[in-house]
Amino acid sequence: MTTQTQRLSIAILALTVVGCGRPAIDKAPATPPLSDGVTLDSTQRARITTTEAVEGSFHPEIQTTGTVLFDGDHSTQVIAPIAGPVSAIRVSLGAQVHAGEVLATVASPDYAQAIAEYRKSDAAWRNARRVAELNQKLLDTGALPRAELEQAQSDLAEAAADRDAARSALMALGLGDDALQALLGGSAGASGAPAIRAPIAGTIVERLITPGQLLEAGATPAFTIANLDRVWVDANVFGGDLAKVHVGDQAMIVMSGTADSLAGRVAFVGALVDPASRAAAVRIVVPNTGRVLRQNMLVTILLRAGTAESGVMVPVSAVLRDENSLPYLFVNSAPGRYLRRRVTLGSRNAERYEIRSGVTAGEQVVTDGSVYLSAVGAQ
């Protein structure tokens, strides 16, 4: 009996020894999962920099993209007012022009007729004026009935209207005030050539016609003039961010691939949301210092809300993103102990993020060395 008991004991002991040799998958992992944190020794801790998460006020910033456009209040496309072939182009691309300056001249067959109509109407007006003045004198001496004076005054008003209409027709054909004054003096050669004139001052940014090209009056675009000292930047703002954007808010315009930026202000926030993109249009007016912003340029926009908010703030350098682009950071929970926390980001303000969940004010967050912690925790 004793011998059997000893044999049974030996068998149990053998099974115990065999059980200790099972594969490692049945054992608890030697390294704790990352959610349990990372512990560093004093040498490793020298690589880590932390700062305190603080409760503070900030002006939310919204980042989006936009397109540069000419200022629609100070730019225009010049339409040819005259029919006929272009005889000469007087300005080049990039030229600075003033309002009324001749941009091009046109060999218009209608021009001579318009001049003749103007001279004829001017002569009729002068004659009607002499008659009205004479009739007034005759009436004053009692030598003329009042009815004849009234008729003369009516003829004068009609002649003046015809003269003004003929003058407007000539000006629409590009005749300037100087040439009109020369016509009044009766100089046959002083009328000059019919011209396309600049309606506003600015820079010639487009030339759309060539010498000899046949123009259609009121239909052919000839030039584009714009004041380049100020531009518009049009952008789209989505969903919940719309409530943070107001007319007058500050905006920074950053050009792609550079660190250069220009300051502007929101001039318009659309009242309609595009049903496809679920975004509303926002327009920013930007003083174009150095004229570095150009038509159709794609830029980055940082919109800064005028109304302040408060929340827990951490440096931008504290926030990392995982393989799914979800934000997280490390919190120094105890000496040498760092916990990884999933966080919910709010607004960005300069070099700080608002943290809406995951960190409380007063906790120490890692600002330098987070990548090292991620690597150590993944070992």
Side-chain angles (χ1 to χ4, degrees), residues 186-226:
S187 174
S191 60
I196 302 172
R197 296 178 179 271
I200 62 171
T203 302
I204 302 294
V205 295
E206 278 187 303
R207 194 192 85 178
L208 305 170
I209 57 174
T210 57
Q213 180 178 339
L214 185 63
L215 306 181
E216 182 180 349
T220 305
F223 300 90
T224 300
I225 302 175

Side-chain angles (χ1 to χ4, degrees), residues 229-254:
D229 293 330
R230 191 173 77 168
V231 296
W232 288 351
V233 177
D234 281 1
N236 291 321
V237 176
F238 297 87
D241 288 334
L242 277 171
K244 301 175 184 176
V245 182
H246 304 87
V247 172
D249 285 352
Q250 293 180 351
M252 294 301 297
I253 310 302
V254 182

Side-chain angles (χ1 to χ4, degrees), residues 179-194:
L180 281 172
Q181 292 300 322
L183 281 175
L184 291 177
S187 174
S191 60

Side-chain angles (χ1 to χ4, degrees), residues 58-134:
F58 61 95
H59 291 266
E61 288 185 352
I62 301 162
Q63 181 171 321
T64 184
T65 57
T67 304
V68 178
L69 303 171
F70 295 134
D71 183 341
D73 294 332
H74 298 88
S75 65
T76 185
Q77 190 173 71
V78 183
I79 304 299
I82 317 162
V86 177
S87 57
I89 294 175
R90 301 289 187 83
V91 294
S92 57
L93 280 174
Q96 298 291 315
V97 298
H98 56 78
E101 184 173 342
V102 175
L103 307 180
T105 55
V106 181
S108 173
D110 300 329
Y111 194 60
Q113 182 179 354
I115 290 176
E117 290 291 336
Y118 177 70
R119 283 178 168 158
K120 180 180 177 180
S121 64
D122 181 67
W125 171 76
R126 291 174 186 274
N127 183 60
R129 185 177 63 175
R130 284 194 298 269
V131 171
E133 291 173 350
L134 178 60

